[in-house]
Amino acid sequence: MAINKFLFHAGRKFRILVSVMIEYPKEFIKMLKKANSVAVLTGAGISAESGVPTFRGKDGIWKNFSAEELATVDAFMNNPERVWEWYLWRRQVMSGVSPNPGHKALAEMEKLFDDFTLITQNVDGLHRQAGSNSILELHGNISLNKCLECSRPFAGEISLERGELPKCECGGKIRPDVVWFGEMLPRDIINKAFMASERAELFFSIGTSALVHPAASLPVTARQSGAYLVEVNLDPTPLSGFADLAIHGKAGEILPGIVKLINELRDEPKK
Ligand code: APR
């Protein structure tokens, strides 16, 4: 980083040369230049810098709350009020946050490649708020509701104060439109995610512990199908040793640098 700051004053071409040669492997630079098809998988880590808690790790949600009691169909059947109380709290947390430079960099990156797919496990809607369009929300969206029985969307308000939770026209209970443990992911979305991973020449796995399947299989599928696999994460994960390049640091600091580098590489005169 010190080198970059110093070179900031040393003229554009020299800066490019140094970032190319010192900061990233040649193969990665080559892929940034030539890839047409790019897929990205994000997890809770990309929203951490916006103030959304992650699930695992020291201060992770699952350290303080029980997934079995809050994020399963059984939990909802047993105590819908308790599950809703938790989701309404999470909605409140998420309503007060904004996209960070990591989300914004991915929205920029989308414009730089012909075929770009952003696959997210996050339910916070921050990628859309940042301006991304090509998004596959694998685990749903916390701001939406649906019927437990017929899956029809429900746009009405959910309030625990009124005593009784709303019901669908079919009589089913209304639940958050997220994927709970033990549930299948929406078939069309996960199929599209696997197709994007198979055709990707460059795949980024960002801010995910890479533990929860099927999402965790996507980077593996991508690499086995020939993609150059890059991980961006604060800490090593089970994917790190399998990736072609593992970059350890904050997504909100690393991704803007990568987007800047892509732009610089495109501005370079062709030889
Ligand atoms: N930049 C990059 N990575 C970060 C940052 C950051 N600023 N902050 C945290 N991380 C990393 C952590 O090191 C960790 O590896 O993000 C990862 C977050 O992991 P998890 O909390 O396990 O989140 P995720 O992988 O998205 O979880 C998958 O599990 O409980 C379910 O449905 C939930 O979608 C979620 C799924």
Side-chain angles (χ1 to χ4, degrees):
M1 286 301 146
I3 288 173
N4 249 343
K5 265 184 200 150
F6 169 72
L7 286 167
F8 189 77
H9 303 286
R12 199 161 184 207
K13 271 199 183 141
F14 189 39
R15 194 169 81 244
I16 295 166
L17 196 66
V18 169
S19 42
V20 168
M21 287 172 57
I22 293 181
E23 291 185 355
Y24 291 118
K26 277 196 188 130
E27 190 61 19
F28 178 50
I29 302 298
K30 201 171 96 190
M31 292 314 296
L32 289 179
K33 277 186 182 170
K34 79 162 205 178
N36 288 312
S37 188
V38 176
V40 177
L41 171 69
T42 63
I46 190 144
S47 295
E49 290 159 69
S50 293
V52 181
T54 59
F55 291 94
R56 295 169 187 81
K58 192 164 57 66
D59 300 315
I61 284 184
W62 299 142
K63 274 263 157 10
N64 301 309
F65 298 96
S66 150
E68 291 76 24
E69 286 171 25
L70 295 165
T72 64
V73 171
D74 282 351
F76 186 72
M77 297 296 274
N78 290 339
N79 195 340
E81 287 79 14
R82 183 190 156 109
V83 171
W84 264 119
E85 195 182 353
W86 191 64
Y87 275 94
L88 291 176
W89 168 72
R90 285 185 64 205
R91 275 184 187 177
Q92 209 182 346
V93 171
M94 288 178 195
S95 70
V97 303
S98 314
N100 67 55
H103 297 107
K104 289 179 190 163
L106 290 178
E108 277 304 301
M109 203 189 271
E110 177 176 318
K111 298 180 199 150
L112 300 176
F113 295 96
D114 295 339
D115 173 23
F116 184 90
T117 310
L118 176 53
I119 308 160
T120 188
Q121 298 166 88
N122 299 346
V123 296
D124 55 31
L126 287 175
H127 284 305
R128 203 169 298 282
Q129 272 190 50
S132 287
N133 291 302
S134 177
I135 312 171
L136 298 174
E137 288 178 320
L138 293 180
H139 296 167
N141 188 309
I142 200 165
S143 65
L144 305 176
N145 314 308
K146 67 175 181 183
C147 173
L148 179 69
E149 304 300 332
C150 71
S151 293
R152 196 175 307 180
F154 177 85
E157 201 197 326
I158 311 287
S159 164
L160 289 176
E161 268 108 66
R162 289 208 199 108
E164 211 184 325
L165 286 167
K167 291 228 167 82
C168 176
E169 291 165 32
C170 78
K173 290 189 170 79
I174 299 299
R175 55 167 282 182
D177 193 354
V178 296
V179 177
W180 282 328
F181 285 99
E183 289 190 300
M184 302 286 283
L185 273 62
R187 190 191 293 259
D188 61 324
I189 293 181
I190 190 67
N191 283 350
K192 281 183 188 160
F194 272 104
M195 283 190 293
S197 306
E198 278 164 20
R199 57 172 199 273
E201 296 155 84
L202 179 59
F203 190 104
F204 290 92
S205 177
I206 302 168
T208 174
S209 55
L211 291 170
V212 177
H213 289 270
S217 307
L218 295 168
V220 177
T221 300
R223 190 166 190 274
Q224 285 170 345
S225 308
Y228 186 86
L229 176 60
V230 182
E231 175 179 68
V232 178
N233 200 303
L234 266 187
D235 302 307
T237 74
L239 196 67
S240 306
F242 182 74
D244 294 290
L245 173 63
I247 308 169
H248 297 302
K250 289 186 176 180
E253 290 173 3
I254 289 161
L255 295 176
I258 291 176
V259 169
K260 188 162 166 273
L261 179 57
I262 299 169
N263 280 317
E264 288 175 347
L265 291 167
R266 291 188 180 192
D267 287 350
E268 262 184 348
K270 299 253 181 306
K271 280 177 203 148

